[in-house]
Amino acid sequence: MRYVILGLLLGGPLSLYDLQKRFASGISLFYSASSGSIQRALHHLTAEGAVIVGDADDRRRGRKVYRVTATGRELWRAWMTEETAPGADAETTILAKIFFLGRLEPQSRPEVIRRIRRAVEEQAAALQTLAGEIDRDARELDDEARQIFVFHRATLDYGLRAQGLLADWIDEVGEMAR
């Protein structure tokens, strides 16, 4: 979440309320965050010097805004350009990186896309391997167990198809980044 917040702050200073609105108005389609989790992330980002908090310039009493620092910009950039780790959060991370890709300098965008595409390919390959193993094991199942297996396999098929769709979409986004 911290990198998503940093990405949002790259557009300019925002209050906690503004950040909550940004999450609710678009980012929540791929990244959900409660008010408390946003506050905790801001606290950690402030503690590590990635953001600073100050009074708003609009004279509203007590309104605090957060601004990204040079340290925060560098943390965000490092996150954008690093490999995407496999696992349950990989798709969310990929979507967040694509969402913020326009904030990255144009010459760095193609490499980010290549790294994301590689992560998608690796995840798809892992699912294909798993499918092969499961299919081999399924041959030894009795009829009752096969009735259960068919739905487990259908769920794996969904994952395989989702990875294929994600790969195609990344290719389309890659065309935009050139």
Side-chain angles (χ1 to χ4, degrees), residues 77 81 101-114 177-178:
R77 189 182 186 295
T81 57
L101 196 60
R103 296 215 179 268
L104 194 63
E105 61 276 1
Q107 66 272 20
S108 298
R109 294 173 192 164
E111 180 58 28
V112 170
I113 294 291
R114 278 190 290 280
R178 290 187 186 161

Side-chain angles (χ1 to χ4, degrees), residues 76-93:
W76 177 83
R77 189 182 186 295
W79 170 74
M80 283 292 293
T81 57
E82 73 185 10
E83 297 289 335
T84 301
D89 294 332
E91 185 174 354
T92 301
T93 300

Side-chain angles (χ1 to χ4, degrees), residues 1-15 18-19 22-23 27 42 45 49-52 65-81 96-97 99-105 109:
M1 166 168 323
R2 55 190 266 176
Y3 302 110
V4 172
I5 290 172
L6 289 172
L8 290 171
L9 291 175
L10 288 173
L14 297 170
S15 68
D18 295 331
L19 283 165
R22 297 283 169 93
F23 271 91
I27 293 174
L42 284 169
L45 288 167
V51 301
I52 56 172
V65 293
Y66 296 86
R67 292 175 175 80
V68 69
T69 65
T71 299
R73 288 179 199 284
E74 192 52 42
L75 282 170
W76 177 83
R77 189 182 186 295
W79 170 74
M80 283 292 293
T81 57
K97 285 183 176 187
F99 184 84
F100 290 115
L101 196 60
R103 296 215 179 268
L104 194 63
E105 61 276 1
R109 294 173 192 164

Side-chain angles (χ1 to χ4, degrees), residues 53-173:
V53 62
D55 293 326
D57 296 334
D58 61 6
R59 300 198 200 297
R60 284 191 256 173
R61 240 165 97 151
R63 184 169 181 257
K64 301 289 185 194
V65 293
Y66 296 86
R67 292 175 175 80
V68 69
T69 65
T71 299
R73 288 179 199 284
E74 192 52 42
L75 282 170
W76 177 83
R77 189 182 186 295
W79 170 74
M80 283 292 293
T81 57
E82 73 185 10
E83 297 289 335
T84 301
D89 294 332
E91 185 174 354
T92 301
T93 300
I94 288 167
L95 292 173
K97 285 183 176 187
I98 296 298
F99 184 84
F100 290 115
L101 196 60
R103 296 215 179 268
L104 194 63
E105 61 276 1
Q107 66 272 20
S108 298
R109 294 173 192 164
E111 180 58 28
V112 170
I113 294 291
R114 278 190 290 280
R115 288 178 179 202
I116 289 172
R117 184 63 160 86
R118 189 169 42 247
V120 171
E121 289 170 358
E122 289 170 3
Q123 183 69 30
L127 289 175
Q128 286 288 3
T129 299
L130 178 60
E133 292 168 1
I134 288 173
D135 290 344
R136 276 189 302 280
D137 293 344
R139 291 185 205 125
E140 299 173 18
L141 298 176
D142 61 32
D143 288 339
E144 185 177 334
R146 197 169 284 118
Q147 293 288 324
I148 296 169
F149 165 79
V150 70
F151 297 103
H152 291 184
R153 185 59 167 88
T155 305
L156 180 57
D157 282 341
Y158 170 82
L160 289 165
R161 290 179 191 185
Q163 288 299 307
L165 177 63
L166 184 56
D168 291 345
W169 179 71
I170 294 297
D171 291 344
E172 290 174 20
V173 170

